Amino acid sequence: MISLSDVGMVFGTQVLFEHVTWQLQPGAHYGLVGANGTGKSTLLRLMSGELKPESGTISRPNDLAIGTLGQDQFAFDAQSPLDVVVSGNPRLHLALQEKAALLQRIGGQSNSDAEGHRLAHLETEISDVGGYDAEARAGALLGGLGLAVARHGRPMAELSGGYRLRVLLARTLFSEPGLLLLDEPTNHLDIDSIRWLEGYLRAFPGASVVVSHDRHFLNAVCTHIADVDYQELRLYPGNYDAFEAAKALAVAQKETEITRVEEKIAEMQRFIDRFRAKATKARQAQSRKKQVERMELPEITRSSRRYPAFRFRQRRPSGRELIAVKGICKTYGTQRVLEDVSFALERGERLAVVGPNGIGKSTLLKIVSGLLPADTGDVRTGYEMHLGYFAQDHHDVLQGRTSVYEWLHSQAPGESVGTLRGLLGRVLFSGEEVDKSIGDLSGGEAARLLLAALMLRQDNLLVLDEPTNHLDMEGREALMRALQEYDGTLIFVSHDRHFVSAVGRRILVLSEQGVEDVHGNYEDYLAAKGEDFLAGGAALGARAAGGKERGGATAGEYEDRKERKRTLGKLKREVERLEAEVVRQERALERMAARFAAEDYYAGTEWAQVQRDQQEQAAAQRRLQQTLAQWERAASELERLQEAS
């Protein structure tokens, strides 16, 4: 497997990371996380061999097959998705092509011994690499990623960009490499396809490294998290939730170290300044100054993680009913995307619209926002309703060479320079970044700017179409908290299950079977159905075969649920107890560290006592590690039971 040793990369004058040492293990599934711009994609390109490190070495076994997600969507326009997927195995693809060309040339009948021998050899070659079920396997991959069977044999040129990327992902998976390197593989997948990919990767026998900002996906797939921060890479065992807890401890320790160093510097400077002004103390001041100059202070590197400060307010509340949608239908060409959609939205509700790609979620939001007319049906708006819309495609809104500041000013010409610059700072545009052209913004930067404009508007109804698509994990968490605190009304589309579960309080399900309006959050819906409604026909089949839904359970099933509920309650209390114990032990270690950091500690403490204090600190650190391990086991078991229930 790949081994990185003391690897470093610099982009211009910015150090991305340095001294990275990482030995990938067979069968391990790594989530590569970090703030935007820290070099995650660069690391993948280094591991694939596309880039060379500026320092250090990367070793790869000669026989290691590496699968990467290609981004050239237009390279296969004339081919069918099935052919593109099969081409992921070059040996098989070449053999199939040669066989087809040979059969065409000889008209299906061999005219020479050489041709007959060659055909026999090709048949053996194709059989050896599983060629005779290749189309079935390729079709299964495409189906799992949401591409309809009718599209499998049509030209790639007919597919949208999102579906072309799905075909390229299927092509990568079909190659069955020893190592998968996937950069944001869930970006263009619906919840159903993401769930399918999770199962595929969990069962994948090789190693994988995945860059993703989808917390639920990382929790479902990863056995380790590789965190790029402080210009270094640190490896954590477990999924994203386990990493987050361990990372919080590491960050707290890092911040304590930084604070201690800064306080020491300030203390030394005050001493020098105080005695330098007194002639009678000049000798001592000079001596102390030399001591300070000889001190080797550790280099301070701040975390690269930055959290935007989103905050949404409503300028004035609306009437009780904001929107009434009646019998909405919409057709594109011959394809009906919305059929008789009706619902009403009341003040303060948080409605999540979910369903597979292509079902009409974005179309519905545009119709509700007045950006697109319905073919039939109507949308009535309530008293004092003021709507703010966030477009999934940022290029629909942000075009041209206008600067970030000028564009935001155009959205609110009456606002002062201080207000606008302060708001831009809250969404992480500072200094010269406010002069950047909106046409040059990354996806994450564009999303933050559009959200800043919504913060300015102070609407009482927010309509958000995939607001988390380009945000990093920190941006997603900040937006989630801001929307939870928003006192207005919300309707949104998202494929981030953690985000949908945390923000949505009502679910509008769009599917081929019609529209279902569920009063409750996403987790309530899953609990009621027994299985993810987008996981295919398994749940429907189980119910058709006589399975009971909630409300029609047998006495035995009722007792089982009660027992699971009791077990979950115990585990939750145990997790909370262990979390409190971790906090208590961390504070005890902080007090010990402060004692060691005292200026007169070593001079005024007997050596035997110093040794006892050091032993006490080591024992406390061991106890903390044991408590963290207990917490991780309990939290993992709690999560497993919650997902199974």
Side-chain angles (χ1 to χ4, degrees):
M1 203 47 67
I2 287 181
S3 176
L4 290 78
S5 178
D6 206 28
V7 169
M9 285 294 285
V10 178
F11 183 74
T13 59
Q14 179 189 0
V15 177
L16 294 179
F17 45 79
E18 52 189 355
H19 309 305
V20 170
T21 297
W22 185 9
Q23 174 71 51
L24 275 69
Q25 299 299 320
H29 302 302
Y30 301 92
L32 185 57
V33 302
N36 285 344
T38 53
K40 303 185 296 296
S41 297
T42 299
L43 258 174
L44 290 187
R45 295 170 68 191
L46 286 169
M47 287 189 280
S48 71
E50 184 181 344
L51 291 179
K52 301 293 183 185
E54 296 191 7
S55 61
T57 58
I58 300 178
S59 303
R60 303 176 195 82
N62 292 332
D63 60 349
L64 177 64
I66 300 176
T68 60
L69 181 54
Q71 297 297 321
D72 188 354
Q73 302 177 25
F74 306 100
F76 308 98
D77 273 3
Q79 299 180 44
S80 72
L82 272 178
D83 287 339
V84 173
V85 174
V86 172
S87 71
N89 185 326
R91 180 182 169 190
L92 170 61
H93 194 238
L94 288 173
L96 288 171
Q97 284 184 319
E98 185 180 349
K99 176 188 172 183
L102 183 56
L103 287 174
Q104 185 177 18
R105 188 172 70 248
I106 65 178
Q109 184 174 357
S110 175
N111 296 319
S112 69
D113 289 344
E115 290 170 341
H117 287 309
R118 186 58 186 164
L119 270 176
H121 173 77
L122 289 172
E123 294 286 359
T124 302
E125 179 89 351
I126 292 168
S127 178
D128 286 347
V129 292
Y132 293 106
D133 65 348
E135 283 201 0
R137 289 186 286 118
L141 289 170
L142 290 170
L145 291 170
L147 190 66
V149 174
R151 294 280 189 176
H152 292 187
R154 304 288 301 167
M156 283 278 285
E158 296 180 1
L159 298 179
S160 66
Y163 275 102
R164 292 183 195 209
L165 286 174
R166 294 185 190 209
V167 175
L168 296 181
L169 175 57
R171 182 176 187 264
T172 301
L173 301 180
F174 185 83
S175 67
E176 298 182 346
L179 172 64
L180 273 172
L181 303 175
L182 302 178
D183 196 351
E184 294 287 3
T186 64
N187 260 6
H188 296 275
L189 302 182
D190 56 24
I191 297 178
D192 189 15
S193 300
I194 292 173
R195 183 183 177 92
W196 177 89
L197 182 60
E198 288 171 357
Y200 184 95
L201 291 178
R202 282 197 298 266
F204 178 64
S208 64
V209 181
V210 178
V211 173
S212 177
H213 293 136
D214 186 330
R215 172 195 291 265
H216 194 286
F217 180 76
L218 293 172
N219 276 335
V221 170
C222 297
T223 61
H224 300 75
I225 298 293
D227 178 44
V228 184
D229 198 3
Y230 301 102
Q231 298 175 359
E232 63 185 19
L233 183 139
R234 184 173 295 185
L235 198 62
Y236 296 82
N239 62 14
Y240 189 86
D241 284 347
F243 149 75
E244 194 172 47
K247 172 76 173 184
L249 175 62
V251 169
Q253 292 173 338
K254 193 83 169 180
E255 292 299 325
T256 300
E257 176 191 358
I258 290 171
T259 301
R260 190 161 52 244
V261 169
E262 290 176 337
E263 289 175 350
K264 188 69 174 177
I265 291 172
E267 180 185 343
M268 289 290 186
Q269 190 59 52
R270 286 195 299 270
F271 181 91
I272 294 169
D273 292 343
R274 185 168 66 249
F275 286 101
R276 184 171 51 196
K278 297 182 180 181
T280 56
K281 301 284 188 177
R283 182 174 299 176
Q284 293 97 317
Q286 187 65 25
S287 173
R288 183 59 60 90
K289 183 179 179 181
K290 289 179 179 178
Q291 290 179 18
V292 172
E293 290 172 351
R294 288 195 298 268
M295 287 180 63
E296 292 186 5
L297 297 175
E299 182 181 352
I300 300 174
T301 304
R302 292 285 182 182
S303 172
S304 56
R305 280 178 163 77
R306 299 192 299 165
Y307 289 83
F310 298 123
R311 186 178 182 185
F312 302 98
R313 296 176 175 175
Q314 55 175 344
R315 194 178 303 276
R316 62 179 62 87
S318 66
R320 180 177 177 182
E321 185 174 89
L322 279 84
I323 292 282
V325 176
K326 289 286 187 181
I328 291 295
C329 297
K330 186 66 179 179
T331 300
Y332 290 108
T334 59
Q335 183 181 4
R336 177 65 63 93
V337 293
L338 293 174
E339 177 75 45
D340 194 24
V341 178
S342 300
F343 66 93
L345 195 63
E346 294 191 351
R347 182 177 58 232
E349 287 195 294
R350 285 155 166 71
L351 177 66
V353 181
V354 299
N357 278 1
I359 203 69
K361 301 186 299 295
S362 295
T363 298
L364 177 61
L365 263 57
K366 288 180 180 178
I367 291 173
V368 167
S369 302
L371 301 173
L372 190 68
D375 295 338
T376 59
D378 63 80
V379 177
R380 290 186 287 107
T381 59
Y383 174 73
E384 282 286 356
M385 188 275 284
H386 299 279
L387 185 150
Y389 174 72
F390 179 96
Q392 180 181 160
D393 189 349
H394 305 154
H395 297 297
D396 289 348
V397 183
L398 300 175
Q399 297 178 347
R401 306 306 299 173
T402 305
S403 74
V404 166
Y405 175 81
E406 290 169 342
W407 184 87
L408 190 61
H409 180 263
S410 72
Q411 305 300 302
E415 293 291 351
S416 67
V417 174
T419 298
L420 294 177
R421 283 190 170 270
L423 180 58
L424 287 171
R426 290 177 61 187
V427 296
L428 308 183
F429 290 98
S430 58
E432 295 180 356
E433 291 175 328
V434 302
D435 299 320
K436 192 173 183 178
S437 167
I438 59 173
D440 295 332
L441 296 179
S442 68
E445 290 170 332
R448 296 199 307 271
L449 180 57
L450 292 177
L451 291 168
L454 287 181
M455 292 163 66
L456 271 178
R457 288 173 53 93
Q458 298 186 3
D459 296 301
N460 52 31
L461 172 60
L462 295 180
V463 180
L464 310 179
D465 192 359
E466 293 285 5
T468 64
N469 254 7
H470 297 283
L471 294 177
D472 58 18
M473 198 72 77
E474 292 70 37
R476 291 183 181 208
E477 291 293 324
L479 179 60
M480 183 184 75
R481 289 193 297 270
L483 292 177
Q484 287 172 330
E485 295 169 1
Y486 175 52
D487 55 356
T489 308
L490 177 67
I491 176 172
F492 69 98
V493 170
S494 177
H495 288 137
D496 184 327
R497 276 170 289 178
H498 177 65
F499 186 83
V500 171
S501 297
V503 177
R505 291 294 174 265
R506 177 180 165 194
I507 309 296
L508 189 71
V509 183
L510 304 184
S511 69
E512 296 291 345
Q513 288 72 44
V515 180
E516 188 169 0
D517 193 349
V518 181
H519 289 264
N521 66 16
Y522 186 68
E523 302 306 321
D524 292 335
Y525 188 92
L526 296 185
K529 294 299 181 181
E531 189 174 354
D532 191 333
F533 64 91
L534 287 174
L540 293 174
R543 290 195 293 277
K548 299 286 186 179
E549 294 184 37
R550 178 180 287 185
T554 64
E557 290 169 339
Y558 176 73
E559 289 301 323
D560 287 344
R561 281 207 303 270
K562 282 180 63 178
E563 180 59 31
R564 284 197 299 272
K565 189 173 181 180
R566 282 193 293 268
T567 303
L568 281 170
K570 288 181 182 178
L571 270 174
K572 285 178 181 176
R573 290 191 293 274
E574 178 66 4
V575 168
E576 290 170 358
R577 183 191 70 78
L578 289 169
E579 286 173 348
E581 181 63 15
V582 166
V583 171
R584 188 191 67 77
Q585 292 177 356
E586 287 174 348
R587 288 175 178 168
L589 278 168
E590 288 172 3
R591 290 194 294 271
M592 293 179 191
R595 189 165 69 221
F596 284 118
E599 187 174 357
D600 59 348
Y601 171 77
Y602 289 99
T605 307
E606 294 183 358
W607 178 241
Q609 183 61 46
V610 171
Q611 288 180 309
R612 285 194 294 271
D613 289 347
Q614 289 175 338
Q615 290 170 355
E616 181 185 357
Q617 184 186 45
Q621 288 172 335
R622 287 193 298 272
R623 287 194 297 273
L624 176 60
Q625 292 304 315
Q626 291 168 355
T627 305
L628 281 171
Q630 291 172 350
W631 173 86
E632 183 178 334
R633 287 193 296 270
S636 297
E637 178 64 11
L638 176 60
E639 181 185 1
R640 186 187 68 78
L641 288 178
Q642 285 174 331
E643 289 182 350
S645 62

